[in-house]
Amino acid sequence: MADITRRLGWRHLRGAPTAHVRHHRSGRLVHDGPGLSFWYRSLSASLSEIPVDDRELAMTFHARTSDFQDVAVQATVTYRVSDPATAAARLDFSIDPDTGVWRGAPLEQLSTLLTETAQQHALDVLARTTLASALVDGVAAVRERVAGGLAAEPRLPATGIEIVAVRVVALRPEPEVERALRTPAREQIQQEADKATYERRAVAVERERAIAENELASQIELARREEQLVEQRGTNARREAEERAAADAVKAGAEAARTGRLTEAEAERTVRLAEAEAARSVKLADAEAARQVKLAGAEARAARDVGAARAEAQAAWLRVHAEVDTATLHALTATRLAENLPRIESVTVSPDVLTGLLSRLGGAGTAGDSA
């Protein structure tokens, strides 16, 4: 459909490359061709748009064979408008100048014309053909007859229509008839399948028998080899026992010899250790005796030195105290006695003792002053 736009009372048409547009104004052809674009006034313009591309027309119709069996025909016709001017003159391809929509239905008219024409030729062929022949060779026969009939139809060139191709898709009988026709073939196929199944089973049984025989022969051979294996194992076990006994005897002799050598070596080592221990004990006793002698001598010398030192200190102490008066000695004695006495919490002095002490102290002081 052409694109039409409005501008201030004018209309602008833009056509597609596959659409042939014819523009008449006041009965005069102004524009004619595909893919045009022009301005026009809607009140004085008469427009026609004819599609010039290839179009597919699918059709399905029923026909009757010579043996009165109904078949369905599926076909497709490809056509195009080869003469747009003639087509526009024979069919109403005019469009509305404001919307660009066809005023009539020209494509439906063409479809009706082509369908009826093709159906007429197909019915003519199938009416003289049996159902079996129609199912085998009917597609090619119907296609050739329809193509030839459409090419020879005078109304199509007069309308500007050209047939591009004719295809017959299928010829199908009624479902019940189709199932009946398929039955013999299915039965034959089933018989062949059963035959193949039986043959396969026979081959399988034969192969199973051969497999069973092979298994039996294998079991016999395995039993014979197992017997040989048992004998060989017995022989190997006896030989292994003999070799083990010989090895044990050799091992026992070697162990006895080794034990004897170890016993002798242990005894010799014990004797050597006893001798070494005795020598060591003697040496230790000698060393201890010498150490005791030295220690006793050292202690004796130390005792003599300590006694001499104490005697010398005592003599010196006596010499020092011999030169001191009696009162000083008494004071030192009291001091030494106080140092060695236990702790005294309190002392009670009676008047008699205090009087005597004071008298002695006074007498001592007077004697000192006189001296």
Side-chain angles (χ1 to χ4, degrees), residues 57 64 66 80 97 153 200 209 241 277 321 340 356-357 363:
L57 175 61
R64 181 170 294 181
S66 61
R80 67 167 176 265
E153 180 65 30
R200 184 171 62 254
R209 185 183 62 78
E277 186 66 23
H321 287 81
N340 295 322
L357 289 176

Side-chain angles (χ1 to χ4, degrees), residues 141-154:
V142 171
R143 182 178 61 249
E144 293 176 359
R145 181 59 181 274
V146 171
L150 292 177
E153 180 65 30

Side-chain angles (χ1 to χ4, degrees), residues 137-370:
D137 302 324
V139 173
V142 171
R143 182 178 61 249
E144 293 176 359
R145 181 59 181 274
V146 171
L150 292 177
E153 180 65 30
R155 187 178 175 184
L156 297 179
T159 313
I161 304 301
E162 179 183 356
I163 302 300
V164 177
V166 175
R167 297 187 302 277
V168 177
V169 180
L171 288 174
R172 290 186 176 278
E174 293 180 349
E176 294 81 2
V177 177
E178 188 173 6
R179 283 194 295 269
L181 293 175
R182 290 177 179 177
T183 300
R186 288 182 177 178
E187 291 295 333
Q188 183 177 0
I189 294 172
Q190 187 64 39
Q191 291 176 3
E192 293 178 356
D194 294 340
K195 182 179 179 181
T197 302
Y198 298 149
E199 292 178 354
R200 184 171 62 254
R201 289 180 179 176
V203 172
V205 170
E206 182 65 23
R207 290 180 179 177
E208 289 178 358
R209 185 183 62 78
I211 292 171
E213 292 178 355
N214 291 333
E215 289 179 352
L216 181 59
S218 300
Q219 291 177 0
I220 295 173
E221 181 66 21
L222 287 175
R224 186 178 62 80
R225 293 188 179 184
E226 187 174 359
E227 182 180 0
Q228 294 177 357
L229 180 61
V230 170
E231 293 177 358
Q232 186 64 35
R233 284 179 177 176
T235 303
N236 294 339
R238 288 193 299 273
R239 184 179 301 171
E240 184 177 358
E242 293 173 357
E243 292 179 355
R244 187 182 297 110
D248 291 340
V250 173
K251 184 178 180 181
E255 187 67 23
R258 177 174 172 276
T259 303
R261 288 194 298 271
L262 289 176
T263 303
E264 294 176 358
E266 184 67 21
E268 185 179 355
R269 187 176 68 84
T270 303
V271 171
R272 290 179 181 178
L273 287 176
E275 293 175 352
E277 186 66 23
R280 179 173 173 277
S281 298
V282 171
K283 289 180 180 180
L284 289 176
D286 295 341
E288 183 65 21
R291 189 179 68 81
Q292 293 292 335
V293 171
K294 291 180 180 180
L295 183 60
E299 289 179 352
R301 288 192 298 271
R304 288 195 301 270
D305 293 341
V306 169
R310 285 181 178 179
E312 186 178 355
Q314 189 69 24
W317 186 80
L318 292 175
R319 285 194 301 270
V320 170
H321 287 81
E323 297 175 358
V324 179
D325 55 358
T326 305
T328 302
L329 290 175
H330 289 166
L332 290 173
T333 302
T335 302
R336 183 67 58 86
L337 180 61
E339 290 177 356
N340 295 322
L341 286 176
R343 182 179 179 181
I344 300 173
E345 298 293 336
S346 63
V347 178
T348 304
V349 182
S350 64
D352 296 335
V353 176
L354 182 61
T355 302
L357 289 176
L358 290 175
S359 297
R360 289 181 181 179
L361 289 175
T366 304
D369 290 339
S370 297

